[in-house]
Amino acid sequence: MPYFFNTPEDRRAMLDAIGVARVDDLFDDIPAEIKLQRPLEVPPALSEVELERHMKQLSARNTAASESLCFLGGGSYDHFVPAVVDHIASRGEYYTSYTPYQAEASQGNLQVFFEYQTLISELTGLDVANSSLYDGGSAACEAVLMALASQPKRRRVVVAGSVHPEYREIIETYLINLDAELVTVSALDGGVSGDELAAAIDVETACVLVQQPNFFGALEDVDEIARQTHEAGAALIVAVDPISLGLLKRPGDYGADIVVAEGQSLGIPMQYGGPYLGIMACRETFIRKMPGRITGATVDRSGGRCFVLTLQTREQHIRRQKATSNICTNQGLMALRAAVYLAAMGPQGMRETAELCLQKSRYAADRLTENDRFELAFDRRTFKEFVVRDRQGRVTSLLDEAARQGVFAGVALGRWYPELDDCFLVAVTEKRTKADIDRWAECLANSEVGASAVHA
Amino acid sequence: MRNQQATQLLFELSRPGRRAARMPACDVPKADLGELLPEQHRAKRPLPLPELAEPDIVRHFTNLSTLNMSVDTHFYPLGSCTMKYNPKRNERLASLAGIAGLHPYQPDATVQGMLQLLYELERMLGEIAGLEAVSLQPAAGAHGELTALMVAAAYFRELGQQRTKVLVPDSAHGTNPASAAMAGFDVVTVKSTATGYVDQADLVDKLDEHVAVFMITNPSTLGMFERRIGPIAEAVHAKGGLIYLDGANMNAILGITRPGDFGADMMHYNPHKTFSGPHGGGGPGAGPIAVTAALAPYLPGPRIYRDEDGAFSLVDAGPRSIGRVRSFFGNVGVLVRAYCYILTHGPDGLRQIAENAVLNANYVLSQLKDVVDVPQGERCMHEFVASAARLKAEKGVSAMDVAKRLLDFGFHAPTVYFPLIVPEALMIEPTETESKETLDEFVAALRQVLDEQVDTLKEAPHTTMCSRPNEVQAARQPVVSWS
């Protein structure tokens, strides 16, 4: 085995020092009747050459969206990742270290987390950020739990139907065992209805969760939602696309109390859904209810600036069942990637990226709807994603046919919204060129003559 | 030699007008911004992010990295965390475009290789666990605990049983009780004996028809195998409860014994520990869970399905599933590395992991037992817990002082003050990927430290860029961002 050191001589010397005859004797505590009497039934060991061959064979049975024309979105995006991000994140000092329990041996990570927190505060316009959570969906759920914990007498959670359906499913999964009521406000025309939302928010409401831009890529009237939410004394949680903040108003500037985000857009590969980055920021009043690791600045014995994990009395290793959450780690390496990404982009890079997404998605929408088969499903302002209706209603065969031609043309919406089973969601990032978009539009427009469409 | 610029913050290095990444010019006809985006939604000013040139960024983060200890640079015997070597081939293979470049919503037909990999990994983890069904979705060990407890809650709900309690030993990881509370259960603590085993009288006393789950870490957090796991599981099952195995310490028993064979109904893995997915400075990890056939219908979705022709698809988990616990499929990048690790070892290699991990830990214990107290005795599994209580009483030197001083010798510190039931705990886990020479050097360093002057220890570390950060000040007046 490639990673063991112990030679037969080493083993002999170590066993002698321990005072046992055989390695098996070290497992004497395990009763014989529960010992496995056969080898594990897993495939035989592979050398590095064989493993690489095997993995390349598996890899060849996939078509990577990143190497094709990717118009897929819905929370995971084909944004550009500058080389500096990969370079820094591939340093063993970062990826082979662990949670900075010993601050003196972890100042690199701790300073990175402090910088990450600051960057997230700057991005969202909120006072404090934690050192990250698992992903956008569980971060949204943790935000809801935090809001419930902050106002224990209020047990109602109001969620817009235009929030990512998977985020809503996670919240439903978590809340079923807890004393809380989940109310979903429908979003029939591509955004939450102001009147319905107002009707759903009452004095029992702990929080309101909306997404901006929402799952359909459209902009919600967040100013009005913030007003309604605060009037009822509830907390406003907003899930954002970090890339959109190169152009859109920051949530802290329109009254969000807690912001969560999927941080994948900030320099993290799509890698079939994870690991990603759960971003969370909030107003200072929530800080002692926050889940996850928080890094703070302090001074050391000689008065020099340094960084530590702080407010640990919130956490499970000290508070056990009374902790604010069971979360025990952060997504350190992903937070590092986001920090390097934001440092590389700076204010201008973020602005340029956001503007390219906006302009190109508008061009794509115009270009596709030149064909009568397609129309925009909703009359709403969008940022980088939009929903297209296929008037022929053959979304699955349309998208499958495009994929066969190396064009990942969009995400079908029927699985989450049965009423939108003739619609698909399209994302256009800064990486798509005019030629890419033209090819995508032509591929979809020509699909009606494709064999599969006829058979569908 | 240290570059002082490294510890300046990005925000202090920032100068107006500097920049790194530049986006290409817009190549589509530009629409008027005001028309696309009404003023109501537009930011009034640019984001207040730092402005840096690319060389600035590289030098900053590269120099900062040198302020970390890591497995690639140091022996890292952090007990309970299994800080083993992270194979470089796994990094390369997880980065293949056909792996890292997949979007989670690609049609199944375009990700057959990925689905095959994940399907095979599920089977391997089921076999290693001795349990029937696996979900790869949870994002971390604690997330796996929570998911499994939600599965248990759904199971008992369907049975119509009002089971409100989860029993947790006092030696357990803090995540156990925290996860139980998040799943809506009341937590009842079960005592341990002085040598770290479950106090069976106390367990039996607390077992009743309202207990849903007994969570046990085996090998325990003290690095001991619970010899009476059979009778314990029988007692819990007799009352209709379930056994949850915290799989944090699977490294000690790979191929030797299987949780399903000693009575566990459900468990989680920590692939970032047992299967070498790097720890990433705190994450990402993953937390796959394995359960019995009876619990399989409640696992979160989506599930991977293989049809008769060998084609794979993601399918809905069905009406009895607890639902989703995470967006998309899971921490696939970490799972891919675990898959590579298992394939690299094969059946014999997996067993040898456990053998060498246990051999190394026992060797270190044998070399230290005359100078430190080890309440659990002379043997251990993959780790052991020494107590500095006597040192504290005699010289006023704490476990933390010892830990800090070890940093000066170029060793990462053991885990300190955990488990909670051992006073002044120093938890040492060498892992299988260390040599006898490294272990000997660590032993020599620790023996020397225990002999040193009190002042030297109290003021340690002496060689790191900072020493003894003021944690009280950090918590009283939190400064969590630069301004």
Side-chain angles (χ1 to χ4, degrees):
Chain A
M1 287 304 119
Y3 319 129
F4 303 149
F5 287 86
N6 295 335
T7 63
E9 292 72 32
D10 290 334
R11 287 165 86 97
R12 189 70 266 147
M14 292 163 86
L15 289 170
D16 288 347
I18 298 165
V20 296
R22 301 169 311 139
V23 170
D24 282 353
D25 297 346
L26 298 173
F27 294 91
D28 278 352
D29 269 356
I30 303 179
E33 65 271 20
I34 59 168
K35 276 191 178 153
L36 188 64
Q37 303 298 341
R38 59 168 175 82
L40 285 168
E41 287 174 12
V42 297
L46 299 180
S47 66
E48 184 170 0
V49 175
E50 293 164 316
L51 179 67
E52 181 158 311
R53 188 183 306 132
H54 174 67
M55 290 299 289
K56 283 187 170 167
Q57 279 164 358
L58 284 179
S59 170
R61 297 189 62 209
N62 303 321
T63 310
S66 64
E67 309 300 301
S68 314
L69 272 190
C70 181
F71 291 83
L72 304 178
S76 176
Y77 304 96
D78 182 31
H79 284 292
F80 182 68
V81 180
V84 285
V85 176
D86 286 333
H87 174 78
I88 296 298
S90 67
R91 287 191 68 88
E93 297 92 330
Y94 285 123
Y95 80 81
T96 75
S97 60
Y98 196 32
T99 300
Y101 295 116
Q102 292 294 340
E104 292 94 334
S106 318
Q107 280 301 301
N109 283 329
L110 285 163
Q111 183 169 330
V112 168
F113 297 157
F114 183 81
E115 292 179 335
Y116 164 84
Q117 288 174 183
T118 304
L119 290 163
I120 296 302
S121 283
E122 292 175 344
L123 189 67
T124 59
L126 279 157
D127 307 322
V128 295
N130 69 9
S131 294
S132 73
L133 299 168
Y134 306 137
D135 69 330
S138 60
C141 186
E142 289 284 347
V144 165
L145 298 179
M146 178 163 105
L148 284 167
S150 301
Q151 299 204 69
K153 288 193 178 143
R154 293 171 174 246
R155 305 315 296 166
R156 178 178 262 227
V157 174
V158 175
V159 177
S162 49
V163 168
H164 196 306
E166 293 188 354
Y167 297 9
R168 289 187 283 116
E169 284 174 46
I170 298 165
I171 294 168
E172 203 179 326
T173 306
Y174 275 59
L175 289 190
I176 196 163
N177 299 306
L178 305 176
D179 169 31
E181 176 199 13
L182 177 62
V183 178
T184 305
V185 178
S186 67
L188 291 176
D189 63 346
V192 72
S193 140
D195 292 346
E196 270 193 65
L197 189 70
I201 305 174
D202 62 12
V203 291
E204 301 290 306
T205 304
C207 60
V208 175
L209 168 64
V210 298
Q211 187 174 341
Q212 178 79 334
N214 67 25
F215 181 67
F216 306 115
L219 299 178
E220 304 277 10
D221 187 355
V222 281
D223 296 313
E224 177 60 15
I225 293 169
R227 196 188 57 74
Q228 290 173 355
T229 304
H230 291 148
E231 219 171 68
L236 176 62
I237 307 171
V238 184
V240 297
D241 171 1
I243 295 295
S244 73
L245 299 175
L247 270 179
L248 295 186
K249 216 190 266 180
R250 301 184 303 168
D253 296 338
Y254 54 76
D257 300 291
I258 307 171
V259 172
V260 292
E262 175 50 73
Q264 181 270 335
S265 293
L266 305 178
I268 297 170
M270 297 186 285
Q271 45 195 348
Y272 203 57
Y276 286 175
L277 173 71
I279 291 173
M280 178 182 273
C282 61
R283 299 205 178 280
E284 197 156 15
T285 45
F286 288 94
I287 190 168
R288 285 175 201 274
K289 295 282 179 203
M290 231 183 174
R293 303 290 192 206
I294 298 176
T295 305
T298 187
V299 292
D300 81 342
R301 204 152 45 83
S302 53
R305 177 171 70 189
C306 60
F307 304 93
V308 291
L309 292 179
T310 194
L311 299 172
Q312 295 196 60
T313 49
R314 299 165 299 115
E315 294 189 62
Q316 47 74 33
H317 60 287
I318 294 174
R319 293 275 281 170
R320 300 179 79 82
Q321 60 265 35
K322 296 197 175 70
T324 55
S325 162
N326 70 334
I327 286 179
C328 155
T329 50
N330 65 338
Q331 300 281 293
L333 193 65
M334 303 297 130
L336 169 71
R337 293 187 76 98
V340 180
Y341 179 89
L342 287 168
M345 298 309 269
Q348 293 189 71
M350 287 298 283
R351 161 86 192 205
E352 287 170 6
T353 302
E355 198 167 338
L356 286 173
C357 292
L358 180 72
Q359 294 285 358
K360 290 183 180 216
S361 62
R362 162 49 51 145
Y363 173 75
D366 288 346
R367 185 75 178 71
L368 185 66
T369 52
E370 283 170 13
N371 185 306
D372 285 345
R373 178 174 170 178
F374 303 107
E375 66 175 350
L376 293 184
F378 309 116
D379 180 24
R380 285 182 175 263
R381 306 281 185 179
T382 56
F383 168 61
K384 76 179 178 198
E385 291 179 279
F386 53 89
V387 176
V388 176
R389 173 166 289 117
D390 172 12
R391 288 200 171 100
Q392 295 180 14
R394 294 192 295 219
V395 171
T396 308
S397 58
L398 175 78
L399 297 179
D400 285 351
E401 172 63 22
R404 275 192 286 276
Q405 296 175 42
V407 180
F408 292 101
V411 177
L413 290 178
R415 74 175 103 165
W416 299 296
Y417 299 91
E419 71 278 12
L420 299 178
D421 66 352
D422 56 350
C423 293
F424 57 100
L425 178 68
V426 176
V428 188
T429 71
E430 75 284 4
K431 281 173 76 176
R432 300 289 81 82
T433 62
K434 177 171 179 297
D436 291 342
I437 297 168
D438 291 342
R439 191 180 146 213
W440 162 82
E442 278 153 27
C443 170
L444 289 177
N446 296 333
S447 152
E448 53 205 321
V449 298
S452 67
V454 174
H455 294 306
Chain B
M1 283 291 280
R2 196 160 59 74
N3 181 345
Q4 299 297 329
Q5 236 185 358
T7 51
Q8 284 189 274
L9 294 163
L10 289 173
F11 319 98
E12 294 160 343
L13 294 166
S14 172
R15 294 292 178 274
R18 286 199 187 140
R19 56 182 310 188
R22 260 169 225 278
M23 291 300 119
C26 185
D27 64 348
V28 299
K30 273 175 94 165
D32 176 61
L33 200 58
E35 223 166 87
L36 294 179
L37 213 55
E39 202 183 332
Q40 177 208 348
H41 292 296
R42 269 208 319 272
K44 297 206 166 35
R45 54 191 77 83
L47 284 168
L49 296 172
E51 297 175 69
L52 302 147
E54 186 167 317
D56 252 353
I57 295 168
V58 172
R59 194 168 289 163
H60 173 76
F61 285 104
T62 303
N63 278 312
L64 267 190
S65 79
T66 66
L67 304 181
N68 284 341
M69 281 190 174
S70 68
V71 174
D72 275 2
T73 54
H74 295 81
F75 179 48
Y76 212 122
L78 191 65
S80 196
C81 298
T82 314
M83 300 300 292
K84 60 170 74 177
Y85 172 67
N86 306 125
K88 304 309 155 194
R89 68 191 67 170
N90 299 358
E91 295 304 306
R92 175 194 274 183
L93 298 173
S95 308
L96 291 173
I99 303 283
L102 302 179
H103 187 282
Y105 293 146
Q106 286 187 216
D108 291 343
T110 66
V111 290
Q112 286 297 300
M114 175 57 81
L115 293 177
Q116 181 185 332
L117 184 157
L118 297 170
Y119 182 83
E120 288 176 1
L121 181 62
E122 280 189 1
R123 312 256 305 210
M124 293 174 195
L125 294 180
E127 162 68 5
I128 294 167
L131 289 165
E132 283 77 10
V134 171
S135 168
L136 300 174
Q137 195 174 91
H143 202 217
E145 292 171 13
L146 175 61
T147 305
L149 290 168
M150 288 172 170
V151 164
Y155 170 74
F156 288 120
R157 198 159 40 236
E158 194 169 301
L159 288 180
Q161 296 181 8
Q162 298 286 320
R163 291 182 180 260
T164 52
K165 292 188 276 189
V166 166
L167 304 186
V168 179
D170 54 9
S171 60
H173 297 108
T175 52
N176 289 185
S179 298
M182 276 181 90
F185 291 106
D186 299 324
V187 176
V188 179
T189 305
V190 176
K191 284 185 217 150
S192 300
T193 64
T195 46
Y197 294 109
V198 173
D199 182 330
Q200 279 197 303
D202 193 47
L203 171 66
V204 169
D205 205 37
K206 286 168 178 164
L207 264 180
D208 61 25
E209 274 72 25
H210 296 291
V211 171
V213 179
F214 177 49
M215 301 181 82
I216 183 167
T217 309
N218 194 25
S220 70
T221 56
L222 274 86
M224 303 298 287
F225 193 87
E226 182 67 59
R227 267 173 289 195
R228 299 174 64 179
I229 184 68
I232 289 173
E234 264 172 45
V236 172
H237 289 151
K239 294 281 183 191
L242 298 171
I243 296 280
Y244 181 83
L245 180 96
D246 180 326
N249 297 336
M250 282 302 287
N251 213 45
I253 58 170
L254 288 173
I256 303 226
T257 181
R258 307 189 304 168
D261 297 342
F262 58 72
D265 300 287
M266 39 189 190
M267 67 166 290
H268 78 263
Y269 285 96
N270 299 97
H272 45 290
K273 299 181 186 176
T274 313
F275 302 123
S276 83
H279 281 74
I289 58 171
V291 301
T292 57
L295 297 172
Y298 307 96
L299 288 175
R303 314 274 305 133
I304 307 169
Y305 174 73
R306 182 177 185 275
D307 72 14
E308 297 143 4
D309 303 325
F312 297 94
S313 51
L314 283 184
V315 294
D316 188 77
R320 295 159 81 193
S321 163
I322 59 166
R324 266 184 180 282
V325 294
R326 187 201 183 283
S327 39
F328 311 117
F329 186 84
N331 277 359
V332 174
V334 179
L335 299 170
V336 169
R337 289 167 174 85
Y339 175 82
C340 291
Y341 195 72
I342 294 172
L343 284 186
T344 297
H345 285 82
D348 295 339
L350 289 175
R351 191 184 161 97
Q352 286 167 32
I353 289 173
E355 289 178 356
N356 283 290
V358 171
L359 177 64
N360 283 359
N362 275 285
Y363 177 65
V364 175
L365 172 55
S366 76
Q367 302 302 292
L368 288 172
K369 65 183 180 190
D370 61 321
V371 289
V372 290
D373 292 329
V374 182
Q376 69 196 70
E378 299 205 345
R379 289 286 188 73
C380 64
M381 296 296 284
H382 63 300
E383 66 190 0
F384 66 92
V385 182
S387 170
R390 193 156 46 96
L391 199 64
K392 176 104 186 198
E394 288 170 5
K395 290 166 73 177
V397 169
S398 68
M400 188 61 90
D401 297 331
V402 173
K404 296 290 185 198
R405 181 61 178 144
L406 274 170
L407 304 178
D408 286 329
F409 287 78
F411 295 108
H412 194 280
T415 296
V416 288
Y417 302 110
F418 181 79
L420 307 178
I421 59 170
V422 176
E424 299 295 321
L426 284 156
M427 187 188 214
I428 299 171
E429 180 182 13
T431 85
E432 73 281 10
T433 60
E434 297 295 339
S435 68
K436 179 170 175 294
E437 299 86 83
T438 300
L439 303 181
D440 286 337
E441 284 165 24
F442 172 72
V443 164
L446 185 51
R447 294 183 75 100
Q448 186 179 332
V449 166
L450 294 172
D451 246 5
E452 283 184 320
Q453 297 293 322
V454 172
D455 289 350
T456 310
L457 296 176
K458 288 271 159 212
E459 289 173 10
H462 303 271
T463 57
T464 47
M465 73 146 282
C466 68
S467 182
R468 305 281 178 139
N470 187 334
E471 294 187 6
V472 174
Q473 181 188 320
R476 283 216 183 119
Q477 298 147 332
V479 177
V480 299
S481 64
W482 178 83
S483 56

